[in-house]
């Protein structure tokens, strides 16, 4: 009898990180793989499904414009109940810390279906940062009997909480997805040229600052500061900025309002994963609040400045591949300016070790699910107790 595994996801980052795992599950003779997407994201999810060739068996299509968390969570639980009743999975897999993950885990738990949590154990220790993700990832771990921790320090976080499930260190599946994608780009000159041609306005002689930002705790003042910093940096003509703007209206409104007419700033639509990975390869510095980008950029040897006060991904900070700069205008300008002026320091990032995975996380997860032997990921994050990393206080630029 094959084990029926129902993978549930709904946002862009979940889709990228679940895609290599779904492919591995589909290939396994002992597994009957079923995929349900909640559609928490619509266009950004479709971009990923198309790229990896995943056709979900169930699509709840739940996204609404400017959806509230409660409306979305309630609709996920209600709609998923019918799917759980019809599919009768032996286990569900959820990913990370989204509303899709927490609502789906609860729906499965209510039906006594075992939950496996992919990317378990990330913590900041502060329920409000990131909000609401820190709560989501904690409650999913409480409900899970199998926790796939990406690193030794995420395992240590879980161990401290004395949860009841089994913890397995796998590496992060984002590195599996990234490796598959860079192999496609690096092995196909025509594809690379095609991707570069999508951004004809870029000047190869000018450093490229790649920006993404979408965190809810930065809505309002945080985004106003970030945009002001970007405008200030762009006005110096020292770099060109490309910012693929998240589709959340709370992000698009202020970003377009402040930066639409700024010199050297290119606001573009969200890129598909191939296009975004290529842009990361071309970037001199990446400025972001994204979780996934904090894991990918170190693997590409790119300097990352994280526009948050605290991160649940301390491994890269400890490894020196990521720096926290917060959301204050002066601190962002100062950090970017200093790095732009120091080519030696920028290239040092490329020599530091990526702590997040070796491209075999999906294989380990499937081995754990099927009871086959495997070696856990030997996480090279230096310590099991790196702890939470905070941004240094902002200093004024003179
Ligand atoms: C969600 C996750 C966050 C993750 C982020 C990745 C929660 C609570 N937050 O936040 O952890 O980092 O996704 O991007 O689950 N929209 C579209 N089309 C899309 C996607 C979004 O139009 O393809 C717009 C819609 O108006 C939607 C809004 O963005 O209502 C917000 O989407 P939502 O998933 O609620 O929140 P995110 O901020 O994207
Ligand atoms: N990404 C993408 N296109 C873009 C911007 C980001 O494909 O225009 C990818 C990025 O490489 C990473 C993921 O989306 O894998 C991160 O998604 P997001 O920042 O929305 O969410 P988070 O990682 O913060 O949860």
């Amino acid at each position: 009898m094959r084990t029926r595994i129902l993978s549930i996801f709904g946002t862009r980052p979940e889709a990228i990180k679940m895609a290599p795992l779904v492919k591995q599950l589909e290939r396994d003779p002992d597994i009957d793989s079923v995929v349900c997407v909640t559609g928490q994201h619509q266009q950004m999810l479709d971009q990923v499904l198309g790229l990896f060739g995943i056709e979900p068996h169930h699509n709840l299509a739940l996204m609404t414009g400017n959806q509230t968390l409660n409306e979305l969570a309630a609709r996920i639980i209600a709609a998923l109940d019918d799917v759980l009743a019809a599919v009768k999975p032996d286990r569900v897999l959820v990913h990370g810390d989204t509303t899709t993950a927490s609502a789906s885990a609860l729906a499965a738990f209510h039906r006594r279906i075992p939950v496996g949590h992919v990317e378990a154990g990330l913590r900041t220790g502060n329920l409000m940062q990131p909000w609401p993700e820190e709560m989501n990832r904690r409650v999913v771990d409480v409900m899970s009997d199998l926790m796939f921790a990406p690193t030794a320090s995420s395992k240590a976080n879980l161990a401290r909480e004395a949860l009841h499930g089994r913890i397995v260190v796998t590496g992060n599946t984002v590195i599996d997805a990234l490796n598959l994608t860079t192999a496609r780009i690096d092995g196909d000159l025509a594809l690379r040229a095609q991707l570069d041609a999508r951004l004809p306005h870029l000047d190869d002689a000018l450093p490229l600052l790649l920006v993404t930002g979408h965190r809810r705790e930065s809505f309002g003042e945080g985004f106003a500061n970030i945009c002001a910093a970007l405008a200030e940096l762009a006005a110096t003509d020292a770099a060109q900025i490309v910012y693929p703007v998240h589709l959340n209206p709370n992000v698009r409104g202020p970003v377009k309002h402040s930066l639409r007419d700024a010199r050297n700033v290119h606001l573009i639509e969200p890129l598909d994963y191939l296009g975004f990975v290529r842009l990361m390869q071309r970037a001199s510095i990446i400025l972001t609040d994204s979780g996934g980008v904090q894991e990918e950029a170190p693997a590409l040897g790119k300097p990352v400045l994280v526009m948050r006060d605290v991160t649940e991904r301390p491994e890269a900070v400890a490894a020196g591949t990521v720096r926290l700069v917060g959301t204050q205008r002066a601190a962002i300008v100062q950090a970017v300016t200093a790095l732009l002026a120091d080519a030696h320091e920028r290239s040092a990032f490329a020599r530091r070790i990526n702590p997040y995975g070796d491209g075999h996380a999906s294989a380990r997860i499937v081995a754990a699910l099927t009871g086959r032997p495997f070696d856990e990921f030997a996480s090279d994050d230096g310590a099991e107790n790196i702890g939470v990393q905070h941004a240094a206080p902002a200093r004024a630029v003179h």
Side-chain angles (χ1 to χ4, degrees):
M1 261 281 273
R2 294 192 301 164
T3 307
R4 180 167 293 173
I5 305 233
L6 177 64
S7 303
I8 307 169
F9 50 95
T11 66
R12 169 173 67 190
E14 289 170 288
I16 291 169
K17 292 170 167 185
M18 286 297 279
L21 176 55
V22 165
K23 290 294 179 194
Q24 190 91 26
L25 290 167
E26 282 173 355
R27 283 195 296 270
D28 197 288
D30 294 330
I31 288 175
D32 174 19
S33 170
V34 183
V35 171
C36 174
V37 292
T38 61
Q40 176 175 341
H41 287 173
Q42 189 185 311
Q43 302 91 324
M44 297 194 321
L45 179 71
D46 287 344
Q47 284 180 326
V48 185
L49 296 175
L51 180 67
F52 286 94
I54 294 174
E55 285 178 29
H57 302 81
H58 302 269
N59 187 343
L60 307 181
L62 291 178
M63 195 195 89
T64 53
N66 217 358
Q67 60 212 355
T68 68
L69 297 173
N70 284 334
E71 174 195 7
L72 178 64
R75 292 167 72 223
I76 290 171
I77 293 172
L80 203 53
D81 202 41
D82 294 337
V83 175
L84 294 172
V87 175
K88 297 186 178 51
D90 296 304
R91 145 172 321 280
V92 305
L93 292 178
V94 300
H95 183 281
D97 54 18
T98 64
T99 299
T100 285
S102 59
S104 303
L106 184 59
F109 181 74
H110 283 161
R111 282 193 169 265
R112 298 181 189 273
I113 300 167
V115 176
H117 188 196
V118 182
E119 199 181 80
L122 278 63
R123 299 286 186 270
T124 63
N126 179 343
L127 271 189
M128 302 313 286
Q129 292 195 57
W131 179 84
E133 289 83 1
E134 178 77 0
M135 178 279 295
N136 284 337
R137 57 172 81 110
R138 288 196 203 193
V139 300
V140 175
D141 285 328
V142 169
M143 290 185 277
S144 299
D145 72 330
L146 251 180
M147 291 170 275
F148 301 108
T151 64
S153 62
S154 46
K155 178 181 178 174
N157 290 337
L158 293 166
R160 268 194 293 276
E161 291 171 21
L163 301 163
H164 81 284
R166 175 182 168 207
I167 309 166
V168 182
V169 181
T170 60
N172 199 307
T173 55
V174 78
I175 305 298
D176 304 17
L178 184 68
N179 287 355
L180 290 170
T181 307
T182 51
R184 274 175 76 171
I185 297 171
D186 296 344
D188 186 343
L189 278 178
L191 173 64
R192 201 183 326 167
Q194 208 182 322
L195 295 171
D196 289 349
R198 288 197 206 163
L199 295 164
H201 40 262
L202 290 189
D203 178 352
D204 281 335
L206 206 55
L208 172 61
L209 185 59
L210 174 60
V211 180
T212 78
H214 68 84
R215 299 244 78 93
R216 283 166 189 261
E217 65 273 16
S218 297
F219 288 176
E221 197 188 332
F223 266 97
N225 292 340
I226 290 168
C227 291
L230 295 176
E232 188 176 333
L233 287 162
T236 64
D237 293 331
Q240 55 194 333
I241 296 174
V242 176
Y243 185 167
V245 188
H246 194 285
L247 293 177
N248 191 327
N250 299 298
V251 176
R252 283 175 98 74
V255 169
K256 283 169 94 173
H257 176 76
S258 337
L259 295 172
R260 182 187 283 137
D261 300 321
R263 196 168 73 232
N264 299 320
V265 178
H266 307 285
L267 300 181
I268 60 175
E269 293 300 323
L271 289 165
D272 64 29
Y273 193 52
L274 268 177
F276 189 73
V277 170
R278 176 63 192 146
L279 207 49
M280 284 196 283
Q281 289 180 327
R282 294 178 72 185
S284 312
I285 300 173
I286 300 175
L287 194 57
T288 189
D289 64 13
S290 159
V293 176
Q294 284 177 66
E295 295 153 345
E296 292 161 339
L300 296 171
K302 297 294 173 176
V304 191
L305 301 175
V306 177
M307 298 182 291
R308 290 173 51 182
D309 296 321
V310 59
T311 181
E312 63 287 328
R313 291 169 169 90
E315 300 88 351
V317 180
T321 57
V322 157
R323 248 174 238 164
L324 281 178
V325 293
T327 54
Q328 296 297 319
R329 170 183 176 155
I332 295 171
V333 170
Q334 185 184 47
V336 173
T337 307
L339 255 186
L340 280 174
D342 191 345
H344 180 73
E345 176 58 10
R346 284 206 306 280
S347 60
F349 278 84
R351 294 191 293 276
R352 293 177 186 143
I353 289 167
N354 153 44
Y356 288 113
D358 58 1
H360 301 295
S362 305
R364 290 189 184 92
I365 293 171
V366 173
L369 289 169
T370 52
R372 294 185 200 123
F374 65 99
D375 292 324
E376 292 197 18
F377 174 56
S379 173
D380 195 12
D381 51 16
E384 298 204 346
N385 282 300
I386 292 169
V388 175
Q389 299 278 349
H390 294 271
R395 280 185 290 151
V397 177
H398 299 289

